[in-house]
Amino acid sequence: MRYQITLQPGAIQYIAEADETLLDAALRQGIQLPHGCKNGACCACKTRLLHGEADRGVYQPHALSRYDIEEGKLLLCTAYAKSDLTLENRQATREIPLKLLPARVEALRRAAPDVIILSLRLPASERFTFRAGQYIDILLPDGQRRSYSIANAPEEEGTLELHIRRVPGGRFTGQVFETMKVKDILRFEGPQGDFFLREESDKPVILIASGTGFAPIKAIVEHTLAQHIVRPLRIYWGCRARADLYLPDLPAAWDAEHAHIRFIPVLSAADADWRGRTGFVHQAVMADYPDLSQHEVYACGNPAMVDSARKELVAQCHLPETAFFADAFTFNA
Ligand SMILES: Cc1cc2nc3c(=O)[nH]c(=O)nc-3n(C[C@H](O)[C@H](O)[C@H](O)COP(=O)(O)OP(=O)(O)OC[C@H]3O[C@@H](n4cnc5c(N)ncnc54)[C@H](O)[C@@H]3O)c2cc1C
Ligand code: FES
């Protein structure tokens, strides 16, 4: 049995088989929906059913409360259609088709003791389309993959910039720091992910990065500048020490040159002479914005930071769950 699923307000439609979850069916048909665990635990895919009948499936009680159910909510990753459905999901978008391409290493620049900025040149005959904030998967010779956020805006054609932090004993980052040379050829697949600015909204934006989580934030800011989008942007960049803020002059220049952009670096292990903010980066946001009910938050980098930000900003600062967007730099098991 097959059912038609309609996502509102964008009227995006897809077909779900009776025996596949609403999330699996959407992803299979190139529709991007926010999700995380795919297992009924993280509640990232929570969505309201407007019309039709669905089976909510098996989920963790903390991810979908009785109150949620009374409001008609379900988890897309565990729910099955039992009729044609209309769902409310403002974050649904059609995916840009994946491409598998070669790229040539154009430059390797050491930006901090453990961060290299890698510039890749794309084949002249290919056009690679992506949304600012998305990532690519580098394909290793044995088929393993490593994900890296694209740090430049799509308006800059023909090149991809990646910010790569060295992981001790790491396979791919070891290669980048030790043996990779200009003109080496890599293969990658992309674009991937749903971490990009929702441009239909005009809410003020809080961008939270930890470490190389600054990469997609840089892409998003450069894209807004290229498109003359002047929504208020607050960039919080958390690192351990000053040396870890590997491109400090760039966000400082955005702050100085654009009235709608502010940059707030936050160090968790600052030297005595640091005059700026200290502590955990998401807690700096919470101190500055006790009420985030009218904001959107985009968080990227360390999985523990992303997880704490999601939980604490929603629970303590009134951020709507649907206004939190994130990419956690989880690593391969
Ligand atoms: C969506 C996404 C986007 C990402 N974007 C970026 C990016 O822009 N920049 C970036 O630097 N990284 C990014 N990452 C992380 C990246 O994909 C790799 O996981 C990381 O670079 C390690 O790869 P490796 O091959 O060197 O290490 P591996 O060989 O995979 O790991 C070696 C060992 O280190 C452990 N390990 C791996 N990573 C970490 C870590 N971060 N902290 C602690 N232990 C670790 C592993 O468990 C393993 O034991 C992203 C991850 C995801 C999922
Ligand atoms: S993706 Fe985690 S609950 Fe659905």
Side-chain angles (χ1 to χ4, degrees):
M1 199 70 187
R2 314 174 82 208
Y3 299 109
Q4 176 149 303
I5 315 299
T6 306
L7 298 164
Q8 295 291 20
I12 294 175
Q13 294 194 314
Y14 66 99
I15 298 295
E17 304 284 346
D19 62 353
E20 67 181 337
T21 67
L22 298 173
L23 180 65
D24 281 345
L27 297 179
R28 179 171 62 73
Q29 287 159 78
I31 294 163
Q32 279 286 354
L33 288 162
H35 63 277
C37 68
K38 285 188 168 178
N39 194 26
C42 73
C43 75
C45 66
K46 198 184 291 179
T47 296
R48 197 150 74 92
L49 176 61
L50 299 175
H51 298 292
E53 199 188 338
D55 171 0
R56 288 190 169 75
V58 180
Y59 53 85
Q60 302 279 328
H62 68 260
L64 197 65
S65 67
R66 257 190 35 214
Y67 179 66
D68 286 329
I69 293 173
E70 279 166 21
E71 284 202 312
K73 293 191 177 153
L74 49 72
L75 298 175
L76 293 170
C77 70
T78 62
Y80 299 86
K82 293 180 79 178
S83 70
D84 290 348
L85 303 178
T86 306
L87 301 163
E88 181 184 55
N89 195 304
R90 292 173 182 275
Q91 292 147 295
T93 49
R94 281 211 177 270
E95 205 174 65
I96 298 171
L98 278 181
K99 279 192 174 181
L100 202 161
L101 292 174
R104 184 164 43 81
V105 174
E106 194 170 49
L108 294 144
R109 183 165 78 80
R110 185 75 70 116
D114 67 346
V115 177
I116 279 185
I117 298 185
L118 177 63
S119 301
L120 300 176
R121 172 63 43 190
L122 299 172
S125 55
E126 288 284 350
R127 191 153 191 276
F128 180 67
T129 313
F130 62 97
R131 294 191 176 95
Q134 288 192 292
Y135 68 91
I136 56 168
D137 274 351
I138 302 277
L139 306 182
L140 306 185
D142 62 359
Q144 281 199 27
R145 291 162 175 258
R146 295 293 185 270
S147 307
Y148 294 96
S149 301
I150 304 168
N152 56 302
E155 285 79 4
E156 190 186 338
E157 282 185 29
T159 181
L160 294 180
E161 177 182 310
L162 309 179
H163 296 176
I164 301 188
R165 188 178 72 82
R166 182 168 204 167
V167 169
R171 176 172 168 193
F172 181 69
T173 59
Q175 180 189 336
V176 173
F177 277 75
E178 284 161 26
T179 57
M180 191 171 280
K181 317 178 290 311
V182 169
K183 293 193 178 155
D184 280 0
I185 301 292
L186 299 175
R187 287 189 325 131
F188 73 92
E189 191 174 53
Q192 318 248 11
D194 58 11
F195 188 69
F196 49 82
L197 188 68
R198 299 322 191 254
E199 292 180 31
E200 64 283 4
S201 161
D202 58 3
K203 287 183 174 178
V205 176
I206 311 269
L207 302 159
I208 312 178
S210 72
T212 45
F214 178 67
I217 304 273
K218 170 177 176 288
I220 288 173
V221 176
E222 289 181 342
H223 168 68
T224 62
L225 292 174
Q227 297 299 324
H228 308 289
I229 297 170
V230 288
R231 282 163 74 180
L233 300 179
R234 299 287 174 270
I235 307 162
Y236 287 79
W237 187 5
C239 288
R240 264 179 60 74
R242 196 190 297 233
D244 301 324
L245 290 167
Y246 54 86
L247 279 178
D249 296 345
L250 181 67
W254 293 331
D255 181 310
E257 290 163 17
H258 303 280
H260 66 288
I261 302 183
R262 287 287 162 268
F263 170 50
I264 303 101
V266 183
L267 299 184
S268 60
D271 298 336
D273 64 347
W274 172 251
R275 297 279 165 267
R277 304 288 290 272
T278 55
F280 290 130
V281 63
H282 75 285
Q283 288 176 348
V285 174
M286 293 170 73
D288 294 351
Y289 293 92
D291 182 358
L292 284 169
S293 56
Q294 300 306 318
H295 285 72
E296 282 180 359
V297 173
Y298 294 76
C300 190
N302 182 308
M305 182 282 283
V306 169
D307 191 44
S308 303
R310 182 195 300 275
K311 287 187 182 137
E312 294 175 34
L313 298 182
V314 169
Q316 297 175 39
C317 300
H318 318 290
L319 178 72
E321 276 174 34
T322 52
F324 183 85
F325 307 90
D327 248 353
F329 287 0
T330 47
F331 43 89
N332 296 56

